[in-house]
Amino acid sequence: MDLKGKNALITGAGKGIGRAIALGLAKAGVRVGLVSRSSGDLEQLASTISSQYDTRAIYATADVSKRNEAEAAYNQIKHDLGPLDILINNAGIASFGTVTEMPPDEWERMIQVNLFGTYHMTYYALPDMIKQNHGSIINIASTAGERGFATGSAYCASKFAVLGFTESVLQEVRKHNIRVTALTPSTVNTELAVNAGLKIGEEHRMLQPEDVAELALAALQLPDRVFVKTAGIWTTNPQ
Ligand SMILES: NC(=O)c1ccc[n+]([C@@H]2O[C@H](COP(=O)([O-])OP(=O)(O)OC[C@H]3O[C@@H](n4cnc5c(N)ncnc54)[C@H](OP(=O)(O)O)[C@@H]3O)[C@@H](O)[C@H]2O)c1
């Protein structure tokens, strides 16, 4: 699919992987709607994009775990950019601890942001995509959605759920020419990884946010008839 002139909404666009995907899409000529909670990050990114690339960048602040905020952000981006061709559900949080040590509020929050955030934006975007009979949704899952590990019960549960959600929605909407893909990167060099204590090994051997962005763009640029269910990337760095 030629990406030039398409409209995309990217959640968690202020930092890390979401920011890299937004920049990658903008470079390819996509008009981008940026969503996260911090307006400062989004404002700065929108102005970087507008000054560097021949495309439009707008933003809306929202906590995607909150249905009304996700809906308002979706409607604002749609109103300003026009109907969406691409939705990137990237916003996510991570922390680790045994199931009895982790405070229940923290456990629940991970599910709310990582799973419900993905569900909310998909819920609002899909009717319009179905109406226009095309669209691409990319959900940023993780290798933590494919294998569990000690201290990962909340994060892994949220990402396993994102993979189940992705495959089920894909089966529902592929007849409408809507592609739904989950990316499952291993550890990526972002604030999330550093804050969660995941950043191990030599930095230059770690996946970088731009690597995930390239994978997302590659999946989006495949011919419309090609549906990628999941795509994972690793480095030589042992996890
Ligand atoms: N880094 C890794 O090792 C790794 C590996 C595999 C998968 N992933 C996944 O990749 C995605 C992005 O992670 P990252 O490493 O790029 O994280 P990051 O650098 O911490 O960036 C996360 C972005 O999401 C936004 N965000 C967080 N909670 C939000 C909420 N409730 N509503 C809206 N926006 C929210 C943050 O902005 P605000 O705080 O301003 O809202 C920020 O812009 C996540 O889904 C993560 O699980 C990460």
Side-chain angles (χ1 to χ4, degrees):
M1 173 170 88
D2 183 12
L3 297 181
K4 197 166 168 46
K6 303 281 185 204
N7 291 332
L9 186 158
I10 304 110
T11 71
K15 293 192 197 109
I17 294 168
R19 185 176 193 279
I21 293 176
L23 283 164
L25 287 171
K27 193 176 176 187
V30 176
R31 292 141 48 98
V32 289
L34 316 168
V35 175
S36 79
R37 291 168 305 174
S38 315
S39 58
D41 288 344
L42 299 180
E43 195 177 348
Q44 203 178 34
L45 179 60
S47 107
T48 301
I49 288 174
S50 304
S51 65
Q52 285 185 7
Y53 301 117
D54 183 21
T55 191
R56 245 190 112 195
I58 59 165
Y59 68 90
T61 52
D63 177 343
V64 294
S65 73
K66 301 201 164 81
R67 204 190 320 159
N68 58 338
E69 292 190 24
E71 181 182 22
Y74 175 77
N75 285 333
Q76 188 187 323
I77 302 279
K78 179 178 139 184
H79 177 263
D80 292 353
L81 281 190
L84 280 194
D85 305 288
I86 299 164
L87 169 64
I88 311 284
N89 283 311
N90 162 79
I93 54 172
S95 63
F96 300 94
T98 65
V99 71
T100 52
E101 278 166 7
M102 184 177 284
D105 284 349
E106 189 176 335
W107 206 102
E108 200 176 311
R109 181 78 188 138
M110 238 171 299
I111 305 293
Q112 282 172 348
V113 177
N114 298 356
L115 175 59
F116 278 84
T118 299
Y119 158 69
H120 289 150
M121 277 301 177
T122 305
Y123 178 80
Y124 292 114
L126 266 182
D128 289 329
M129 287 185 173
I130 289 171
K131 222 179 287 166
Q132 67 202 19
N133 202 39
H134 82 92
S136 295
I137 299 176
I138 293 190
N139 298 328
I140 308 299
S142 168
T143 47
E146 297 172 319
R147 60 182 168 86
F149 52 88
T151 75
S153 66
Y155 189 64
C156 292
S158 74
K159 295 298 185 180
F160 269 76
V162 166
L163 287 178
F165 178 73
T166 302
E167 188 168 339
S168 302
V169 176
L170 169 63
Q171 297 296 8
E172 284 175 19
V173 300
R174 67 191 170 121
K175 61 176 178 283
H176 300 292
N177 298 310
I178 299 165
R179 309 188 289 186
V180 193
T181 298
L183 303 186
T184 60
S186 170
T187 307
V188 184
N189 188 11
T190 67
E191 272 181 36
L192 175 146
V194 174
N195 294 340
L198 290 175
K199 196 176 164 186
I200 52 165
E202 298 166 84
E203 195 160 297
H204 71 279
R205 285 179 174 264
M206 290 182 74
L207 287 176
Q208 302 300 318
E210 294 73 24
D211 302 332
V212 184
E214 283 204 30
L215 180 65
L217 263 82
L220 290 169
Q221 282 168 330
L222 286 167
D224 290 345
R225 64 180 175 273
V226 182
F227 287 65
V228 179
K229 188 178 76 173
T230 42
I233 45 173
W234 294 70
T235 58
T236 54
N237 193 23
Q239 298 298 308

